[in-house]
Amino acid sequence: MAGWLPRPGRVRALLIGTTDGPGSLPQISGDLAAVRRALTDPRSGIAEASQVRTLPAPTAGSVLAAVRSARRRPRLDLLLLYFSGHGHLDPVDQSLRLGMADSACRPDRPDSFGLSYDVLAAALRRTGAAQVVVVLDCCYSGRALHDTERRENCAVLASVQANRETPQDHGKALSPYTEVLVEQLGLPPNGQHTSGVDVALLHERIAGRFKFRLLPVGDTDREPTRAEVEALSEDDRRAHSWSPQYSHTGSAVILSRPGGEPPPRRARVRLPAPVRAASRATADRLASAAARCRPLLPGLRTATRLGVVLTLLAGGLAWWSHGGDDPYPCPLPLQLRVLASTESRAAVAAAADGFEGSPLNHRRLAPGDRTPAQCRRITLSVYAAPADLTRSAFAAAADWADGARPGPGTATAGCDDPAPAASPVPAVSPAAGEAAPGEAAPGPAAAGRGCLVPLRDVGPQPDLWIPDSSAELAEVQTRPPALDGLVLTSLGPLALTPLVLGLPPQVAADLSAAGVRPRGSSWEAILAALQRLPAPVQLLRPNPATSATGLLQTVGLYLGYQGTLGRQVTLPDAEARRLEKGFAVPGRSSGDARQLLCELASQAGKQDQLAVLVTEQALSRLDAGAPDVTGCAGRPSAAPGPGLARYYPAGAPVLDHPMVTVSWPGARDGAERLAAAGLFRDWLLAPDGGGRAWTDQGFELPAPVDGATGPGPAGPDTAQITTALAGYAQARLPGRVLFLLDVSGSTADNGKLAASVAALDRALRVLGPQDSYGLWTFPAAGTAGSGHDEPVPLGSTDPVAGGRALSRAVALPLSAQLYEAVGQGLDALREGAGRQPQLLVVITDGDIRRADDPQGQDAASALLRSAALGRPEIPVVVAALPAAGCRSTLDDLAAFSGGRCLAGADGLGSQLAGLVAAVGSGGTG
């Protein structure tokens, strides 16, 4: 979405870095100077030299004082803070601290590690600047991204992921990230960013430059050489990828102007012509009156002069309060927050980009709108969340409104519990993973992370919600009101896509020969024909709990089995059990349609045996080789797609993507926001406007009725959905999952334990009420590193227990014996094994023992034999955190068991949720 240019005189930049002393780095001085030159460059800069302040010897007090000085009137359009230096982890809660000139890094004094970023972020919020941009070039800088969830109109650019250190480029004048940053600030814009290089485009360019760069491997602080990169395995390359981070809310501010545009300068103090003319006319009239009255009032001339002065002063103050003779007179546009689904976000974002630069965005929102005609009225911020989390967030709308308290969810333990007491065990040295005498213990990994927090788990309060189906809206509206005054109103469908069955070409040919037509055939006829084929065909469907596509496919199967969508289950019980048993494939992701097709595209050599229940639009994306559905996380893409034939079962519902306005109680600009939503809707439905973004993504536009969009195709109502899900729950075998959490000393380093807890919390939410699970931690407390503890014994169906256990997880000063713990987990699952699908999930940063350790070798060999030969076969999903990586034993363990190895912590929660969803019977988020 195109950005906006801050007005001259309303920009401040604060550049921070220790150039001398114990906290300095060789490149900091050059970094500060280079960023200053980029911001004040006469050709592309957005600030004057007087508006940029550099702190070369910062302390926490001096930085906060400099930030406080930015609280001024009129308020700033842009406050930019840049930091280059050391990033440290707080020894208590592992939060980000910025190294200052006086940082001593004493473990018994957290404040000695530098300025807390949370404290700095709070000070930035209090400045009242219209847009705050924070650029951090330091280790662990990705941890700052959570700040954008706490306020609007805030952007954070971070040089590296939250759990990684930034490499040093010895011998160069600038750090690697800042070198690319200033280079991209000096390049002209492109595409739709005609007004300049905004913060979103800047990050996109920076990320592109780091796409093939890696973080240090082994005992070094530098980037690997080309030869070293080529010697690494593909898994190691993924585990050490260098991925600069970015997050923002609100409209994207321009940080670099296009070439040739006049440089912004503070406006010259000169009254506008209308004010000058009015002042002269007033003076003339007063002077004429004074001449006529001179015999009576000899002193009127003095009063006349005083009146003129007062008139000029009042006019000047009125003009100055509105920004002076401003060459950029446009006020900040109204920001609309648009919540989309993960499957439709690309189309919504593309349409939003086009709308912001369209003539429609210059229409007045109200009769009293005095915004100049050349100004944009609206800016759109598009974000996405899984369907289950979105529904749960609306169910916790009161917590969404205040943004503080965690709301109810499936895993709600710890929400109302007091913070657990600090562990009495000594803390862990991040460097060695050994106990450090005399140091305080680390606190809980993530107190309260077992709760749904709408602001954290979904995003800011939406003004517009575009779900995949009106059925999702109906489900939210039938629940008891979660917040008095909250109103959700559907403005009708935006784009349609029918549900389809994608079949391999040969299978489709066999069905056609058997008389089963691609259109109009019932599920009964299609499934019977598939059963008669000589080779079995595996059906794949997204999970109904986490995907609207999966939900409506389930409704179509259960209520429309005979070709007409009814109100009772028509799918025979035996057929339902057979289908659900086939859908539950442990080790294969099914969180949503995108993940499902991503899985399909990666199954080389097996695609002629796999069929998918998705949407027509999703198959179009697959056939086009779109990267969002042809490449799974951490695995190469396959393009073009496999070219599946499309069957349209009779009675199958249609996804209609309604636009829903969300009116929050107490909003002072509610009418203006509704008018803005109407403008955006008009654009989305225009075939030559936003409608093109939908059709380019494979959707169909709804047919107009009397010049307006008519209602979408009749979809299932809430009663039909409830009936179908009841049949689904009855047919589905409950899943059985064991989670193993590594709490060894090394997980306290770089926030690995907190990342593990967050990922497991997300995975717990996709389990259904019939599913059972267990949560073990290893190593066991009070041992030499062996054994495990069982905070939640295997077989529990209590969702609260898992959340409570996660909120209390702490790292222990012990080394992990990973292989023995996983072997014990497999034995426990096999002891109580029945017919239900089972899965073992382990999150670890690896076994502490060296590769040539005989004991470790024996334990690894025994584990691999158990995984490959033990019965029943139990897939093992290994989430290998940084430093472990999917290599050797861990990769073999996943492969031999039919599971998966996930490298790195980025996106781990959604990946685990998709894999667990394939086994579970469906949670609600």
Side-chain angles (χ1 to χ4, degrees):
M1 286 151 279
W4 58 276
L5 187 66
R7 291 172 285 184
R10 300 204 181 181
V11 177
R12 292 294 182 273
L14 184 60
L15 314 182
I16 305 169
T18 302
T19 58
D20 192 20
S24 65
L25 291 170
Q27 293 87 2
I28 291 180
S29 179
D31 288 347
L32 297 178
V35 173
R36 183 182 184 89
R37 285 194 300 270
L39 294 175
T40 59
D41 189 313
R43 297 166 299 177
S44 60
I46 58 169
E48 300 178 34
S50 61
Q51 298 168 350
V52 182
R53 181 179 178 185
T54 302
L55 294 181
T59 63
S62 66
V63 170
L64 294 177
V67 171
R68 284 194 294 269
S69 69
R71 297 181 65 177
R72 59 189 298 273
R73 292 292 183 270
R75 74 169 184 167
L76 295 175
D77 281 357
L78 170 64
L79 175 59
L80 184 145
L81 185 140
Y82 167 85
F83 174 80
S84 175
H86 286 293
H88 302 293
L89 296 180
D90 188 291
V92 175
D93 61 8
Q94 298 291 291
S95 61
L96 176 64
R97 287 185 174 269
L98 307 181
M100 300 284 105
D102 56 354
S103 297
C105 296
R106 292 179 52 185
D108 58 332
R109 290 183 52 202
D111 288 347
S112 70
F113 281 73
L115 172 61
S116 167
Y117 177 76
D118 290 339
V119 173
L120 175 61
L124 291 170
R125 290 195 293 273
R126 288 193 293 269
T127 62
Q131 182 82 28
V132 173
V133 175
V134 180
V135 183
L136 301 178
D137 188 356
C138 63
C139 299
Y140 317 120
S141 53
R143 291 172 181 254
L145 266 62
H146 74 279
D147 178 59
T148 55
E149 302 172 352
R150 301 183 182 181
R151 61 153 288 160
E152 297 177 8
N153 302 323
C154 176
V156 177
L157 293 99
S159 61
V160 74
Q161 299 97 304
N163 56 351
R164 304 309 298 268
E165 298 180 357
T166 302
Q168 298 299 310
D169 212 341
H170 302 290
K172 288 197 173 184
L174 305 179
S175 68
Y177 182 81
T178 297
E179 181 180 29
V180 176
L181 170 73
V182 297
E183 171 192 83
Q184 298 303 320
L185 282 173
L187 295 179
N190 56 13
Q192 296 179 2
H193 300 263
T194 54
S195 302
V197 178
D198 62 37
V199 64
L201 176 61
L202 178 63
H203 168 73
E204 181 182 321
R205 289 176 164 183
I206 293 174
R209 289 290 306 275
F210 281 87
K211 186 174 183 180
F212 300 104
R213 298 177 70 166
L214 299 185
L215 293 167
V217 180
D219 297 328
T220 178
D221 63 351
R222 61 169 176 80
E223 283 189 76
T225 64
R226 183 184 182 92
E228 291 171 335
V229 170
E230 292 176 349
L232 294 173
S233 68
E234 188 64 29
D235 290 330
D236 283 337
R237 294 184 194 181
R238 288 193 296 270
H240 292 86
S241 63
W242 188 344
S243 177
Q245 303 292 292
Y246 165 71
S247 179
H248 104 282
T249 58
S251 54
V253 65
I254 290 173
L255 300 182
S256 176
R257 296 174 294 105
E261 186 171 319
R265 291 292 180 263
R266 189 185 300 277
R268 185 162 56 92
V269 180
R270 184 167 182 259
L271 290 176
V275 176
R276 296 198 304 270
S279 300
R280 283 195 297 268
T282 301
D284 291 343
R285 285 194 296 270
L286 288 173
S288 176
R292 291 194 300 270
C293 298
R294 186 175 293 127
L296 300 176
L297 298 172
L300 189 58
R301 180 175 297 177
T302 301
T304 300
R305 291 172 179 168
L306 180 60
V308 172
V309 171
L310 293 176
T311 301
L312 292 173
L313 181 60
L317 288 175
W319 158 79
W320 181 259
S321 68
H322 285 82
D325 190 10
D326 196 345
Y328 303 98
C330 295
L332 293 180
L334 176 71
Q335 181 205 359
L336 283 184
R337 299 173 295 264
V338 184
L339 173 58
S341 72
T342 54
E343 298 174 28
S344 66
R345 183 189 183 281
V348 176
D353 281 341
F355 170 78
E356 290 196 355
S358 72
L360 202 61
N361 197 17
H362 294 268
R363 287 188 187 176
R364 292 187 175 183
L365 297 177
D369 186 353
R370 298 182 180 276
T371 304
Q374 71 270 24
C375 297
R376 295 177 177 178
R377 265 56 175 184
I378 306 166
T379 184
L380 297 159
S381 177
V382 180
Y383 56 104
D388 59 322
L389 293 186
T390 299
R391 293 194 299 268
S392 294
F394 278 113
D399 303 324
W400 213 343
D402 63 35
R405 304 187 312 273
T410 300
T412 56
C415 292
D416 301 318
D417 294 345
S423 172
V425 298
V428 175
S429 166
E434 302 277 335
E439 296 180 10
R449 280 193 180 272
C451 318
L452 175 78
V453 181
L455 193 61
R456 180 195 70 201
D457 298 327
V458 174
Q461 288 180 346
D463 300 303
L464 295 173
W465 176 33
I466 304 179
D468 286 330
S469 169
S470 294
E472 297 176 77
L473 172 62
E475 182 180 350
V476 171
Q477 290 178 324
T478 53
R479 294 178 177 179
L483 178 64
D484 290 339
L486 177 66
V487 179
L488 279 68
T489 306
S490 175
L491 300 184
L494 296 174
L496 309 176
T497 182
L499 298 179
V500 300
L501 170 65
L503 294 172
Q506 184 56 50
V507 174
D510 293 340
L511 261 63
S512 179
V516 180
R517 303 184 308 275
R519 292 182 181 272
S521 297
S522 67
W523 271 114
E524 182 177 20
I526 294 172
L527 294 174
L530 290 175
Q531 281 284 85
R532 291 193 294 268
L533 295 179
V537 176
Q538 173 72 54
L539 297 180
L540 306 178
R541 177 198 58 195
N543 189 280
T546 56
S547 165
T549 300
L551 175 63
L552 265 66
Q553 286 281 18
T554 302
V555 173
L557 265 174
Y558 280 78
L559 304 188
Y561 177 70
Q562 295 176 347
T564 302
L565 193 66
R567 309 197 70 82
Q568 300 296 326
V569 173
T570 55
L571 179 65
D573 291 344
E575 182 70 353
R577 288 192 294 270
R578 183 187 70 82
L579 288 172
E580 294 302 340
K581 182 178 180 180
F583 287 139
V585 182
R588 182 170 290 158
S589 179
S590 68
D592 57 31
R594 183 191 59 81
Q595 289 182 352
L596 194 89
L597 291 180
C598 175
E599 287 280 339
L600 178 67
S602 67
Q603 299 292 317
K606 301 179 181 178
Q607 293 174 350
D608 58 347
Q609 303 169 355
L610 299 175
V612 292
L613 283 73
V614 288
T615 64
E616 181 183 62
Q617 181 267 344
L619 284 189
S620 296
R621 298 283 290 166
L622 182 69
D623 292 343
D628 58 328
V629 295
T630 60
C632 293
R635 281 179 287 166
S637 299
L644 296 178
R646 304 173 188 185
Y647 268 65
Y648 299 79
V654 174
L655 297 186
D656 58 348
H657 300 87
M659 173 181 275
V660 181
T661 60
V662 185
S663 300
W664 296 91
R668 291 174 295 179
D669 55 356
E672 189 179 10
R673 291 184 177 276
L674 287 177
L679 283 181
F680 185 41
R681 177 177 176 273
D682 292 343
W683 170 259
L684 289 173
L685 293 172
D688 56 347
R692 186 179 305 163
W694 290 108
T695 55
D696 286 348
Q697 294 276 336
F699 293 97
E700 300 175 10
L701 296 182
V705 178
D706 296 331
T709 301
D717 57 29
T718 305
Q720 288 174 303
I721 292 174
T722 302
T723 300
L725 289 181
Y728 162 81
Q730 183 177 354
R732 182 92 171 182
L733 287 173
R736 192 163 179 253
V737 184
L738 177 59
F739 299 99
L740 295 182
L741 174 62
D742 186 347
V743 294
S744 61
S746 56
T747 61
D749 186 20
N750 300 344
K752 287 183 283 190
L753 182 56
S756 302
V757 166
L760 286 181
D761 171 60
R762 177 71 182 104
L764 278 173
R765 291 198 185 112
V766 302
L767 291 174
Q770 301 180 71
D771 301 324
S772 63
Y773 73 100
L775 174 62
W776 294 2
T777 60
F778 67 95
T783 68
S786 61
H788 65 271
D789 290 321
E790 301 185 11
V792 181
L794 181 61
S796 173
T797 58
D798 180 9
V800 173
R804 182 179 296 115
L806 289 175
S807 69
R808 295 174 176 175
V810 293
L812 302 175
L814 301 170
S815 301
Q817 294 184 5
L818 168 66
Y819 308 135
E820 290 85 345
V822 176
Q824 293 164 9
L826 288 174
D827 292 342
L829 285 170
R830 288 183 176 127
E831 284 178 6
R835 296 183 301 123
Q836 75 269 43
Q838 299 190 102
L839 186 69
L840 190 149
V841 177
V842 55
I843 303 185
T844 181
D845 64 352
D847 194 285
I848 194 64
R849 290 166 291 197
R850 295 169 55 91
D852 56 358
D853 184 318
Q855 181 187 11
Q857 288 179 338
D858 292 343
S861 298
L863 174 60
L864 293 179
R865 285 195 300 271
S866 175
L869 303 177
R871 291 295 178 268
E873 181 182 74
I874 298 175
V876 179
V877 172
V878 182
L881 299 174
C886 288
R887 65 171 80 103
S888 59
T889 303
L890 296 184
D891 200 25
D892 290 343
L893 171 62
F896 291 174
S897 66
R900 179 76 53 76
C901 187
L902 308 174
D906 296 335
L908 183 58
S910 61
Q911 294 181 65
L912 283 184
L915 290 163
V916 173
V919 177
S921 59
T924 60

